[in-house]
Amino acid sequence: MLSVRESTTREVRVLDGLWRLYVPSPAEDALALQQGALPGTREVPVPASLNDLFADPAVRDHVGRYWYQRSALVPHSWAGERVILRFGSVTQSAAVFIDDELVTEFKGGYMPFEVDVTEQVSPGASFRLSVAVDNRLDNTSIPPGELGVNAAGKPSQEYKHDFYNYAGIHRSVYLYTRPHKFIEDVTVSTDIEGGTGVVNWSVEVKCTDDQACGRQDLEVTVLDEAGNLVAEGGSENQGSLRIADATFWTPGVGGMYQLRLRLLQDGEVRDEYIQPFGIRTVEVREGKFLINGREFYFTGFGMHEDHETIGKGHSNAHMVQDFELLSWIGANSLRTSHYPYAEEFMDYCDRHGIVVIDETPAVGLNWGITGGIIGGSTGGTYEEGHVDAGTAAQHRLEIERLIARDKNHPCVVLWSIANEPDTAVPEARDYFEPLVELTRELDPTRPVGYVNVMFAPYDRCTISDLFDVLMLNRYWGWYVNSGDLESAEINWTAELEGWTQKYPAKPIIITEYGADTVAGLHSIFDQPFTEDYQVAYLEMNSRVFDKFDSVIGEQMWNFADFQTKTGYARVDGNKKGAFTRDRRPKAAARYLRGRWHSLAPAAYGRRDSHSA
Ligand code: GCB
């Protein structure tokens, strides 16, 4: 799905701001609240999570639908255009109404969706826009969850992943125009031949009204970052062009071009869409991860979209601060754990050369654990009502949507189709084999991986051979051998030897290793939860990684402290951050900064704007 981009033929209005909010009681839930103004006086910011905003547990702990509403205006000048309503994400699902009418429903909390509302709105008039935002997770959602009723008879929500189930309209809402005949999709893939960049494109053109859709010609051109025309691609819907002395997209640097697509009729531009892209190659060969044919070593973090007050809402200010800290610390990469991030985030990574492992929201598909490796619940994973055919169907959809949204981002070098699913059982293979095939079919240009949990080591995992790269989350010295870093080092080394021997051709990225740390707590001893322990833990991990050529990356868990469901193992959230939740560095941040900047020669193309 194309991002919303203003062009000479597409006008965009942003519907962010304060909307009205109503939280219905369970008895009211099924009511058609869109048929008029919402009751009450509450207002809610968009984009943002709503859970941390109100001094009312009934809002924070609500399980079910929240009703959002605002009015919006369609300018007179939009007469004759198609009008599209687009949401960047609504978590976990949405039903959208214009005045009294349901115009679309969408399930999946981290993906954009849009609907053509031309027939429901009138130029020069306003309309009532209502959204039922539903935070429920069950066996047909990704991530999955279990709904129930607590001892007091209230609806309850269980889930297996270790981050708070924030709800809300988390990303921007747009109303935009599109011509009747329009550019619906474009796919760009690139290759490098010496100093020449090869750009392959394929464009889908669609028409919403036969009468308005005469013959039109496509014009394909490439512009460089300064807006100069550097190549012309002809008028076919698919083709290939070559750029001599091209600038290649480079980790730590960036390097973008624009593919300008125009539909022309009698010399006039009828639709224009400008798709940014970068020229680069990605390949896994002989145990190495190659970007533009050069070995790449990943440094960085598993992240979260998580901030105080706004929860999972997108904010450009918070995003820029996070990227500044990533640059300061010497991170050249990140994983969008455990769901796709905002489109603005991906665009920023493109422009700044930040390498991304792009993950689906398939987290918590493991009934043996609840976040990290803390106690699981009863029953097996691949059972009816847990992870079943309904979950698999939604998982397929999430892979399709992720690739459709992010396929043109040069920053994305690897797909992660799940985080820590239960893969020590044979059923995992039946579940995952078709998903791996699907991913490869949809995108033959990028390697595919999944993130492996500690309970499915090399001699127990039933699916690792299906993937190009091994991604391991390991907590030796934290959940296992807690406080005993000597044993942890021996056991961790032995485990990595096992993986390397079993899969000699597969490179290994350590996608999680971390220790909860309370900022300001210190000890002269190896005392878990202290800043000193976190540093000693990281030093031990570094020693282990450095023993293995097969380890081609380290992404510490987590960039910053983040909110989780409460429970006896979490005190106001997960504290494994190198930074606190308000982005102050712990001692670990200085340690990582020293290490990652000194790894510069190994980490191809590192940004050096803040050399240590
Ligand atoms: C993991 C999970 C991550 C948790 C982390 C932890 O393995 O992938 O979502 O937050 O452990 O801190 O327990």
Side-chain angles (χ1 to χ4, degrees):
M1 168 186 260
L2 294 181
S3 285
V4 176
R5 299 191 196 277
E6 214 166 14
S7 75
T8 52
T9 61
R10 297 177 179 217
E11 217 174 300
V12 182
R13 286 175 76 100
V14 186
L15 301 187
D16 297 352
L18 287 170
W19 293 41
R20 299 181 70 170
L21 174 72
Y22 182 68
V23 185
S25 69
E28 281 177 298
D29 205 17
L31 293 182
L33 287 164
Q34 79 281 5
Q35 292 175 356
L38 289 179
T41 56
R42 240 179 208 140
E43 298 187 31
V44 64
V46 170
S49 296
L50 52 69
N51 307 73
D52 293 346
L53 301 175
F54 300 96
D56 183 353
V59 180
R60 181 178 169 89
D61 303 335
H62 182 73
V63 176
R65 291 193 190 100
Y66 298 88
W67 282 88
Y68 280 60
Q69 194 176 69
R70 64 166 284 159
S71 73
L73 194 73
V74 182
H76 277 295
S77 57
W78 286 15
E81 301 285 343
R82 305 299 300 184
V83 180
I84 315 296
L85 176 65
R86 188 189 200 269
F87 293 81
S89 72
V90 179
T91 316
Q92 298 287 341
S93 61
V96 180
F97 300 83
I98 289 199
D99 297 324
D100 291 355
E101 192 183 335
L102 175 70
V103 291
T104 193
E105 289 179 277
F106 188 83
K107 183 168 173 172
Y110 303 94
M111 273 288 136
F113 59 95
E114 63 181 25
V115 52
D116 185 327
V117 295
T118 316
E119 308 310 328
Q120 285 77 27
V121 301
S122 311
S126 61
F127 61 91
R128 189 171 63 249
L129 174 59
S130 312
V131 184
V133 176
D134 199 328
N135 65 356
R136 284 173 287 193
L137 297 170
D138 63 14
N139 59 313
T140 66
S141 61
I142 290 285
E146 284 177 289
L147 292 161
V149 179
N150 75 3
K154 286 192 191 148
S156 66
Q157 170 79 71
E158 290 297 325
Y159 48 91
K160 308 292 170 195
H161 53 273
D162 186 34
F163 54 91
Y164 191 82
N165 187 36
Y166 278 113
I169 300 181
H170 281 157
R171 299 175 191 158
S172 285
V173 184
Y174 298 108
L175 199 62
Y176 73 96
T177 63
R178 208 165 55 185
H180 290 276
K181 189 163 183 180
F182 65 98
I183 293 147
E184 200 201 15
D185 198 15
V186 50
T187 307
V188 184
S189 68
T190 60
D191 209 348
I192 292 176
E193 289 173 13
T196 301
V198 181
V199 183
N200 311 302
W201 77 86
S202 104
V203 179
E204 280 174 43
V205 174
K206 203 174 162 187
C207 193
T208 42
D209 174 354
D210 285 344
Q211 282 165 5
C213 301
R215 151 133 199 98
Q216 291 181 355
D217 296 320
L218 182 69
E219 178 196 272
V220 180
T221 46
V222 176
L223 311 176
D224 66 14
E225 266 176 329
N228 303 313
L229 199 148
V230 291
E232 282 176 302
S235 59
E236 298 304 316
N237 280 18
Q238 68 181 54
S240 177
L241 56 79
R242 300 168 72 81
I243 302 174
D245 294 325
T247 301
F248 300 132
W249 188 89
T250 302
V253 178
M256 296 294 288
Y257 286 95
Q258 294 185 331
L259 192 71
R260 190 180 66 192
L261 304 167
R262 283 176 166 172
L263 283 179
L264 301 169
Q265 195 170 20
D266 305 325
E268 254 182 61
V269 180
R270 293 306 171 95
D271 190 23
E272 181 183 64
Y273 190 82
I274 295 176
Q275 175 63 54
F277 72 96
I279 301 170
R280 58 114 186 83
T281 60
V282 178
E283 193 189 350
V284 173
R285 203 196 314 146
E286 290 162 14
K288 300 291 173 212
F289 198 98
L290 307 178
I291 300 180
N292 301 342
R294 289 177 61 184
E295 275 181 40
F296 182 74
Y297 188 88
F298 296 75
T299 59
F301 299 96
M303 309 274 292
H304 263 302
E305 287 185 317
D306 175 274
H307 288 94
E308 278 171 3
T309 310
I310 58 171
K312 293 207 167 311
H314 174 73
S315 139
N316 283 326
H318 290 88
M319 180 186 80
V320 167
Q321 184 185 32
D322 284 358
F323 279 123
E324 271 299 296
L325 295 178
L326 286 167
S327 176
W328 174 85
I329 210 168
N332 63 10
S333 71
L334 56 92
R335 176 169 60 118
T336 68
S337 41
H338 296 305
Y339 38 81
Y341 290 5
E343 289 157 276
E344 293 88 337
F345 187 97
M346 304 305 286
D347 287 342
Y348 191 103
C349 290
D350 278 348
R351 289 194 300 273
H352 294 263
I354 299 154
V355 170
V356 175
I357 302 174
D358 204 4
E359 189 155 278
T360 70
V363 56
L365 281 69
N366 197 330
W367 256 244
I369 55 173
T370 301
I373 60 167
I374 321 151
S377 53
T378 48
T381 300
Y382 301 96
E383 280 179 10
E384 213 46 47
H386 292 177
V387 174
D388 59 19
T391 327
Q394 186 69 21
H395 199 158
R396 279 186 86 82
L397 260 182
E398 296 292 352
I399 291 172
E400 286 166 4
R401 289 170 177 166
L402 179 67
I403 295 177
R405 193 194 74 161
D406 287 353
K407 62 187 171 185
N408 294 325
H409 285 288
C411 67
V412 176
V413 300
L414 173 60
W415 301 115
S416 167
I417 66 168
N419 180 71
E420 297 195 345
D422 183 355
T423 60
V425 293
E427 297 91 309
R429 201 163 175 100
D430 302 333
Y431 183 92
F432 276 99
E433 212 164 5
L435 297 180
V436 180
E437 275 168 29
L438 173 73
T439 313
R440 292 195 190 286
E441 207 176 287
L442 293 172
D443 182 7
T445 73
R446 288 179 178 87
V448 182
Y450 92 101
V451 174
N452 169 281
V453 69
M454 188 141 196
F455 291 133
Y458 59 91
D459 51 349
R460 294 191 60 202
C461 180
T462 59
I463 68 166
S464 283
D465 61 300
L466 300 172
F467 297 87
D468 302 300
V469 174
L470 302 169
M471 293 194 272
L472 309 182
N473 289 355
R474 287 300 181 275
Y475 289 91
W476 293 105
W478 185 253
Y479 290 122
V480 199
N481 302 138
S482 186
D484 178 1
L485 292 175
E486 271 182 317
S487 300
E489 187 163 349
I490 292 165
N491 290 328
W492 195 184
T493 305
E495 196 198 342
L496 273 174
E497 271 162 9
W499 281 104
T500 304
Q501 275 161 23
K502 179 145 186 196
Y503 298 106
K506 292 194 199 293
I508 301 172
I509 304 171
I510 312 304
T511 34
E512 286 183 28
Y513 59 108
D516 284 270
T517 302
V518 178
L521 197 63
H522 289 279
S523 171
I524 54 165
F525 304 111
D526 275 352
Q527 188 83 41
F529 293 104
T530 61
E531 292 200 36
D532 315 272
Y533 187 77
Q534 192 181 30
V535 171
Y537 170 95
L538 296 179
E539 285 168 343
M540 179 278 285
N541 272 275
S542 303
R543 283 196 297 276
V544 174
F545 305 157
D546 291 345
K547 287 182 206 158
F548 292 90
D549 284 344
S550 52
V551 172
I552 54 108
E554 50 192 81
Q555 292 186 332
M556 184 238 184
W557 190 255
N558 186 286
F559 168 69
D561 295 348
F562 58 93
Q563 195 50 273
T564 64
K565 192 160 67 171
T566 39
Y568 59 83
R570 296 283 179 259
V571 183
D572 193 30
N574 188 308
K575 295 276 186 274
K576 294 192 185 69
F579 296 90
T580 58
R581 203 175 183 214
D582 61 353
R583 276 46 180 178
R584 291 167 196 272
K586 299 180 190 170
R590 301 232 175 238
Y591 167 74
L592 290 172
R593 183 170 192 246
R595 172 170 168 85
W596 288 345
H597 281 286
S598 74
L599 284 176
Y604 159 49
R606 295 168 57 83
R607 283 162 299 138
D608 56 5
S609 57
H610 295 280
S611 45

